């Protein structure tokens, strides 16, 4: 596979393109961001945006919150630097881990904020995971659409127009770039292009209704609210990272010191180097594993690429981490198969259909990654609840 000569990302990476020197567009974008963006002007825009909304509604803004480093930093920054009164909105995807929950409790208490937490029906979640795994080789539809759409429903219910997300997507991909002076808008266009895998909640209802007992209203947390309602609210849904430089390592250090935020072990990752990334979900290892089977790289490659780009590690060290950690089978696979009621062969068969050439996964020779410290506490289904309870069985 062709790889970027600077950061090593392979040609199977989404949105990647290489220039004549073999350097990828994401590396090029970083050069632009460092050299040409007027961060002072953007900081001014941020201050104006906050002042425009301050004190006019029940809350000054809404902060969608996972408890990961980015949303935690975003909340800390807005409360400490701007003294806003935020409404924190949390969509619980069903796989939140102990360390994360402890972090969240501590953060909410230390910052003194109001929080709404929403957990959708687990039985439906499993059915949605299976459906999108089979159709797209990606089981995270319920989580991505829910996290993205649910806070917008809350914005409407409370009539709070300003919504602050954390990191802009241009840090990792070239879907959006910094080159136009526009501020990246987290809106329905992005929802339909990048978040929902091309499957709306209405489509989804049609896909599952024949075999799964489901009230169409159960899908509403996964719908994007009507645009006319959001426009009437004069909503502004933006990323804090569009206004201030986003340095993940520096941000993480701040929340560790100020909020006692703790990282965690993530399956398939070097725990000492990257303890702060994607600690939100016990199925993260599965997501990374599927990415590896499909595209020939996993999270460790992505993190190494980011560090190479920022000249934080040597290429030799990066290669060593990738060689040691990439493409290991996560212990959570067992739980995942039990949730969905499928065998590993069935799983491999489903994923094989979504492989991006020229990569060819070797399904038979995947070694297991070690178990994380909390693995034995992750949710397990009783035997009678494993898999999806289909309509036929229910009736
Ligand atoms: Zn690159």
């Amino acid at each position: 596979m062709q790889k970027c000569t600077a950061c090593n990302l392979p040609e199977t990476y989404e949105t990647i393109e290489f220039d004549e020197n073999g350097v990828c567009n994401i590396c090029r974008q970083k050069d632009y961001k460092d050299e040409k963006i007027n961060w002072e002007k953007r900081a001014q825009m941020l201050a104006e945006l906050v002042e425009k909304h301050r004190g006019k509604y029940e809350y000054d803004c809404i902060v969608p919150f996972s408890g990961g480093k980015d949303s935690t930093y975003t909340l800390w920054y807005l409360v400490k630097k701007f003294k806003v009164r935020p409404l924190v909105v949390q969509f619980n995807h069903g796989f939140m881990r102990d360390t994360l929950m402890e972090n969240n409790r501590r953060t909410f208490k230390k910052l003194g904020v109001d929080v709404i937490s929403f957990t959708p029906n687990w039985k439906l979640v499993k059915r949605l995971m299976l459906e999108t795994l089979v159709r797209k080789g990606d089981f995270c539809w319920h989580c991505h659409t829910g996290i993205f759409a649910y806070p917008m429903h809350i914005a409407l219910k409370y009539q709070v127009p300003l919504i602050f997300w954390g990191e802009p997507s241009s840090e990792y991909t070239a879907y959006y770039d910094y080159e136009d002076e526009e501020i990246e808008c987290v809106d329905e266009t992005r929802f339909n292009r990048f978040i929902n895998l091309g499957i709306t909640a209405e489509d989804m209802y049609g896909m599952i209704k024949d075999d799964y007992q489901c009230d169409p209203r159960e899908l509403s947390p996964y719908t994007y609210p009507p645009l006319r309602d959001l426009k009437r609210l004069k909503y502004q849904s933006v990323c804090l990272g569009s206004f201030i430089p986003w340095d993940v390592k520096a941000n993480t250090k701040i929340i560790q010191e100020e909020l006692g935020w703790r990282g965690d072990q993530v399956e398939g990752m070097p725990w000492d180097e990257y303890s702060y990334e994607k600690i939100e979900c016990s199925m993260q290892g599965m997501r990374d594993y599927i990415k590896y089977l499909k595209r020939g790289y996993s999270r460790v490659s992505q993190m190494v690429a980011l560090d190479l780009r920022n000249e934080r590690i040597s290429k030799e060290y990066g290669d060593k981490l990738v060689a040691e950690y990439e493409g290991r089978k996560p212990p959570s696979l067992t739980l995942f198969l039990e949730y969905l009621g499928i065998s590993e062969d069935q799983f491999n068969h489903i994923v094989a259909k979504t492989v991006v050439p020229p990569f060819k996964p070797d399904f038979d020779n995947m070694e297991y990654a070690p178990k994380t410290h909390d693995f034995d506490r992750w949710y397990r289904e009783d035997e009678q609840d494993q898999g999806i309870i289909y309509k036929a069985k229910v009736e």
Side-chain angles (χ1 to χ4, degrees):
M1 291 199 286
Q2 187 185 352
K3 292 189 172 183
C4 171
T5 50
C7 75
N8 254 356
L9 282 182
E11 62 182 287
T12 49
Y13 194 84
E14 282 170 295
T15 73
I16 208 165
E17 285 165 29
F18 300 101
D19 69 10
E20 62 283 2
N21 301 316
V23 175
C24 80
N25 47 346
I26 303 155
C27 285
R28 287 281 170 239
Q29 191 159 285
K30 146 112 182 94
D31 295 343
Y32 183 90
K33 197 175 80 172
D34 288 350
E35 288 157 21
K36 297 195 185 141
I37 287 189
N38 184 344
W39 288 113
E40 270 171 43
K41 187 177 147 207
R42 294 210 170 194
Q44 184 60 35
M45 289 163 74
L46 174 62
E48 285 164 12
L49 186 64
V50 170
E51 292 317 318
K52 188 175 137 196
H53 294 87
R54 190 190 293 282
K56 291 196 182 138
Y57 317 93
E58 193 167 346
Y59 294 92
D60 296 330
C61 62
I62 283 184
V63 179
F65 190 88
S66 68
K69 61 185 180 354
D70 296 311
S71 58
T72 304
Y73 180 77
T74 300
L75 184 62
W76 174 83
Y77 190 93
L78 291 168
V79 171
K80 287 292 170 182
K81 304 271 174 179
F82 286 105
K83 311 254 182 306
V84 297
R85 174 174 146 77
L87 177 58
V88 177
V89 179
Q90 185 171 55
F91 181 89
N92 184 341
H93 41 62
F95 304 104
M96 287 187 164
R97 299 172 61 187
D98 293 352
T99 306
L100 179 92
M101 304 289 261
E102 282 165 29
N103 283 342
N104 291 354
R105 280 195 289 272
R106 204 183 311 108
T107 293
F108 299 153
K109 288 197 161 117
K110 276 180 176 280
L111 292 177
V113 289
D114 289 1
V115 182
I116 287 184
S117 182
F118 176 81
T119 307
N121 174 350
W122 165 246
K123 292 183 195 300
L124 174 62
V125 163
K126 292 202 295 180
R127 183 65 188 88
L128 298 175
M129 285 168 69
L130 181 65
E131 189 67 26
T132 47
L133 176 72
V134 170
R135 285 183 188 267
K136 302 282 179 178
D138 182 339
F139 63 89
C140 303
W141 183 91
H142 83 281
C143 174
H144 291 166
T145 56
I147 283 179
F148 205 94
Y150 188 73
M152 305 310 288
H153 289 282
I154 296 297
L156 282 171
K157 283 198 176 102
Y158 281 83
Q159 292 288 294
V160 176
L162 181 58
I163 300 103
F164 269 113
W165 307 81
E167 187 183 37
S169 62
S170 37
E171 192 75 20
Y172 291 106
T173 68
Y175 284 140
Y176 291 93
D177 57 43
Y178 283 97
E179 301 204 17
D180 41 20
E181 264 297 306
E182 256 171 82
I183 296 296
E184 178 180 333
C185 190
V186 186
D187 58 9
E188 191 182 29
T189 310
R190 180 154 147 194
F191 183 77
N192 287 325
R193 276 173 81 187
F194 309 123
I195 304 291
N196 73 2
L197 307 170
I199 303 174
T200 65
E202 295 80 56
D203 299 338
M204 184 56 86
Y205 178 69
M207 290 167 186
I208 65 174
K209 71 173 169 30
D210 291 338
D211 64 51
Y212 178 80
Q213 205 153 42
C214 180
D215 182 321
R217 290 174 301 176
E218 282 181 59
L219 270 307
S220 73
Y222 312 99
T223 59
Y224 207 76
L227 203 53
R228 60 170 188 282
D229 294 349
L230 289 168
K231 281 188 172 156
R232 200 177 300 137
L233 179 64
K234 298 198 171 59
Y235 81 119
Q236 287 195 276
S237 174
V238 293
C239 299
L240 182 63
S242 296
F243 299 95
I244 58 172
W246 203 255
D247 180 338
V248 166
K249 285 200 172 165
N251 295 356
T252 305
K253 195 157 173 279
I254 290 174
I255 56 174
Q256 282 168 341
E257 287 168 7
E258 299 286 322
L259 299 170
W261 188 89
R262 284 168 51 211
D264 211 344
Q265 301 174 337
V266 174
E267 289 177 321
M269 287 294 286
W271 293 337
D272 294 333
E273 278 79 3
Y274 302 111
S275 61
Y276 51 84
E277 265 288 323
K278 298 286 174 191
I279 64 160
E280 297 94 314
C281 174
S282 55
M283 288 296 121
Q284 182 63 41
M286 275 307 296
R287 180 164 180 79
D288 293 339
Y289 180 54
I290 291 177
K291 182 185 277 180
Y292 178 78
L293 294 172
K294 260 181 173 174
R295 296 178 181 271
Y297 72 90
S298 58
R299 182 154 297 277
V300 60
S301 276
Q302 253 175 298
M303 294 313 296
V304 163
L306 201 58
D307 275 345
L308 287 172
R309 213 174 283 138
N310 287 306
E311 296 172 3
R312 282 179 166 137
I313 57 169
S314 69
K315 206 150 188 176
E316 293 68 48
Y317 188 62
D319 287 347
K320 184 178 152 281
L321 288 179
V322 169
E324 196 176 334
Y325 291 92
E326 186 124 277
R328 306 277 291 275
K329 196 189 278 192
S332 61
L333 175 64
T334 322
L335 307 185
F336 180 85
L337 297 175
E338 285 175 8
Y339 297 154
L340 300 194
I342 55 175
S343 68
E344 188 172 352
D345 279 347
Q346 287 173 311
F347 170 79
N348 288 343
H349 186 72
I350 291 165
V351 175
K353 290 189 213 154
T354 68
V355 169
V356 178
F359 183 69
K360 281 200 194 84
D362 181 0
F363 287 103
D364 298 329
N365 291 300
M366 308 296 294
E367 245 181 273
Y368 269 102
K371 287 180 182 173
T372 57
H373 69 97
D374 55 345
F375 176 79
D376 293 330
R377 294 195 298 278
W378 291 353
Y379 181 67
R380 280 166 176 74
E381 293 278 38
D382 292 338
E383 212 157 317
Q384 80 261 19
D385 290 328
Q386 287 178 12
I388 314 297
I389 313 290
Y390 286 101
K391 202 172 180 177
K393 276 194 207 161
V394 174
E395 280 168 353

